Amino acid sequence: MIKRYARPEMAAIWSDEHKYETWLRVEIAVCEAQAELGAIPAAAVEAIKARAGFSIARIEQIEAEVRHDVIAFLTALSERVGDEARHIHLGMTSSDLLDTALALNIQEAGALLLEGMREFRAILARQALKHRDTVCIGRSHGIHAEPSSFGLKFALWYDEMGRNLERLESALEAAGVGMISGAIGTFAYIDPRVEVSACARLGLRPAPVTTQIIQRDIHAQFQSVLALCGATLEKIAVEIRHLQRTEVLEAEEPFSAGQKGSSAMPHKRNPIGSENIAGLARLLRTNALAALENIALWHERDISHSSVERIIFPDSCILLDYMLHRLARIVEGLVVYPERMIRNLRLTGGLIFSQPVLLALTGKGMSREYAYRIVQEDAMRCYHEDGDFRQILLGDARVLELLTAAEVESCFNEQVGLKHVDELFRRVGISE
């Protein structure tokens, strides 16, 4: 597992100690539900709660012999509880315990991820507002297109992270189901009301129908949402990496005092954090694929999914938590160069204003096809000669036939891309 990336809060959820604590919660909830229905004595439940506990070392010692983690846990628990232990796990199968406990762990990890998403989204909103009026060049295919607001990049990411929040909330709702239904899900030796009561005590819903396990499409949905969120973080990281390229250098990751970029080249300031995010997103997608592969199992259940889930659930939750907080620090501390943005915006000699010239000509009655040809011919001349697009247009009689020099000049407005920024911010819900 990827423990080195884990924040303490997230690591604790997937620790062995917390796993067994969660198993104990489930077993006690079932005992309480059984007692509520009169299936076991209430006094036995009180004795179980008073004496219940575990030693990880003892569980591991027993498991080395019996080769079954749940039996090892129950045996170690019985040693502490005594005679009343006969009332524990009545009518249950291992997956009743494992899948219900997993649902609880998913909810705990999901709550931390939601918190991280909200914190990151707040940073994006602040940066959007800070750079709302910062003019930069917009690009398509990596080629200069038209002027834009640098703040709109953050607003777009803010909006997308909002969708990720909604997806995760929905996936957590779907995953908030437990099962206490017996060996193949038929309640053969346990009352269905026990499941209802136990799940309520744990803050879960009973799965409507199961086999020996909760169906894995539920878990694949959760993993897929984590991968989707990771893809958004990668998208942001790739943009930061592009912006930090020497030829662009409109923004760059924060570079701390004493940090070094290269063992050979002292001048290097590399976007290592963003590259790290982009790489880890691949692992999230791989884990989501593994979760999809877990959906199809033999008959009522095999255990081919189990070994996979012992890895992908801790790893994906830890990785996304790490990615959210690392990228949050990068975005919050992003070093922005507005002067370089203006310099880049003017690199093409005004070619980025070809559309307003086209619209001005067609607005005067020229056909779009003819206007496009004129503007493209002048643009290509500027492109190949490294010239001044405005001056080339002012020297073209075909243009001046319809447009005055002042009208041509009015097409070269670097602020044009900012005139509806406030409306766009309103649409995504960003305000002062």
Side-chain angles (χ1 to χ4, degrees):
M1 291 187 291
I2 308 176
K3 293 287 189 183
R4 62 172 300 209
Y5 292 105
R7 290 191 309 138
E9 305 94 310
M10 183 62 81
I13 292 171
W14 302 105
S15 68
D16 284 343
E17 183 175 4
H18 189 66
K19 175 178 72 174
Y20 295 129
E21 288 171 349
T22 308
W23 288 11
L24 187 55
R25 278 182 64 198
V26 174
E27 292 289 358
I28 288 175
V30 173
C31 287
E32 289 175 332
Q34 294 271 34
E36 186 178 63
L37 294 174
I40 65 175
V45 177
E46 294 309 311
I48 290 168
K49 290 163 67 174
R51 300 173 195 157
F54 57 85
S55 159
I56 294 177
R58 179 56 180 150
I59 293 171
E60 291 175 346
Q61 183 182 30
I62 298 169
E63 187 177 358
E65 178 185 350
V66 301
R67 308 292 293 274
H68 194 293
D69 55 354
V70 173
I71 291 175
F73 169 75
L74 293 172
T75 301
L77 185 58
S78 297
E79 290 174 351
R80 294 202 175 205
V81 171
D83 290 344
E84 284 81 3
R86 67 184 186 277
H87 301 296
I88 297 173
H89 207 70
L90 282 181
M92 292 173 61
T93 192
S94 296
S95 289
D96 286 329
L97 174 60
L98 296 174
D99 282 5
T100 303
L102 178 58
L104 294 172
N105 293 153
I106 289 172
Q107 297 304 310
E108 292 171 319
L112 287 181
L113 293 174
L114 287 172
E115 179 184 299
M117 286 186 188
R118 293 187 184 106
E119 290 172 359
F120 180 49
R121 203 163 177 248
I123 291 169
L124 292 172
R126 290 197 294 271
Q127 290 287 48
L129 289 168
K130 181 178 179 180
H131 296 289
R132 176 175 52 191
D133 300 321
T134 303
V135 182
C136 68
I137 186 62
R139 299 172 174 89
S140 61
H141 305 276
I143 308 301
H144 285 201
E146 294 183 346
S148 182
S149 156
F150 190 61
L152 280 178
K153 291 183 186 289
F154 299 98
L156 183 138
W157 299 333
Y158 172 89
D159 186 47
E160 187 164 334
M161 283 305 299
R163 292 194 294 277
N164 285 322
L165 266 168
E166 292 173 0
R167 291 181 188 117
L168 183 54
E169 288 169 345
S170 177
L172 288 172
E173 174 69 16
V177 292
M179 60 172 280
I180 310 293
S181 53
I184 55 171
T186 60
F187 299 96
Y189 301 104
I190 195 166
D191 192 315
R193 292 175 296 173
V194 171
E195 180 184 69
V196 173
S197 178
C199 285
R201 292 167 190 274
L202 296 167
L204 301 172
R205 304 182 317 280
V209 62
T210 64
T211 55
Q212 192 175 101
I213 58 167
I214 290 173
Q215 300 308 288
R216 261 42 200 176
D217 63 297
I218 291 171
H219 303 84
Q221 179 184 356
F222 175 73
Q223 289 282 347
S224 296
V225 169
L226 301 192
L228 267 171
C229 185
T232 297
L233 301 185
E234 180 184 18
K235 169 183 179 174
I236 297 169
V238 166
E239 179 65 11
I240 292 171
R241 290 166 61 193
H242 168 67
L243 292 171
Q244 190 164 337
R245 288 172 55 225
T246 304
E247 295 84 355
V248 179
L249 201 55
E250 295 179 0
E252 64 178 346
E253 291 184 5
F255 197 83
S256 62
Q259 184 175 339
K260 294 176 172 59
S262 166
S263 63
M265 297 167 284
H267 72 278
K268 296 294 292 297
R269 291 165 64 106
N270 302 326
I272 57 170
S274 297
E275 290 172 340
N276 179 257
I277 299 298
L280 294 178
R282 299 167 191 168
L283 284 178
L284 290 178
R285 289 194 288 274
T286 300
N287 288 351
L289 176 59
L292 290 168
E293 296 287 346
N294 279 349
I295 293 173
L297 302 173
W298 286 15
H299 299 295
E300 280 63 55
R301 173 243 188 179
D302 60 53
I303 62 165
S304 59
H305 64 290
S306 177
S307 55
V308 178
E309 291 176 353
R310 290 169 192 259
I311 297 170
I312 65 173
F313 275 99
D315 281 8
S316 288
C317 291
I318 287 170
L319 283 175
L320 183 55
D321 186 62
Y322 168 83
M323 291 165 69
L324 282 165
H325 287 85
R326 182 162 193 187
L327 191 56
R329 291 193 298 271
I330 291 170
V331 172
E332 189 166 40
L334 196 68
V335 182
V336 178
Y337 300 109
E339 300 83 3
R340 182 62 177 246
M341 292 178 186
I342 294 298
R343 177 180 161 188
N344 285 344
L345 186 141
R346 295 172 180 170
L347 272 177
T348 61
L351 284 178
I352 59 175
F353 299 106
S354 66
Q355 180 171 201
V357 176
L358 172 65
L359 294 175
L361 288 171
T362 57
K364 293 286 187 173
M366 184 179 287
S367 74
R368 180 178 176 83
E369 290 74 16
Y370 186 45
Y372 193 102
R373 189 172 77 189
I374 291 172
V375 176
Q376 186 179 46
E377 286 174 359
D378 287 348
M380 291 305 100
R381 180 182 162 194
C382 176
Y383 182 84
H384 290 296
E385 296 176 6
D386 197 22
D388 186 318
F389 188 45
R390 181 177 357 215
Q391 294 305 314
I392 291 172
L393 290 168
L394 289 172
D396 190 328
R398 297 171 298 178
V399 173
L400 297 182
E401 228 179 276
L402 294 178
L403 301 178
T404 66
E407 287 172 329
V408 171
E409 184 73 29
S410 69
C411 294
F412 291 76
N413 179 6
E414 293 176 352
Q415 296 293 316
V416 67
L418 275 62
K419 63 183 179 180
H420 295 300
V421 167
D422 287 346
E423 167 64 13
L424 291 169
F425 274 41
R426 185 194 64 78
R427 288 184 178 187
V428 301
I430 297 177
S431 59
E432 295 284 1

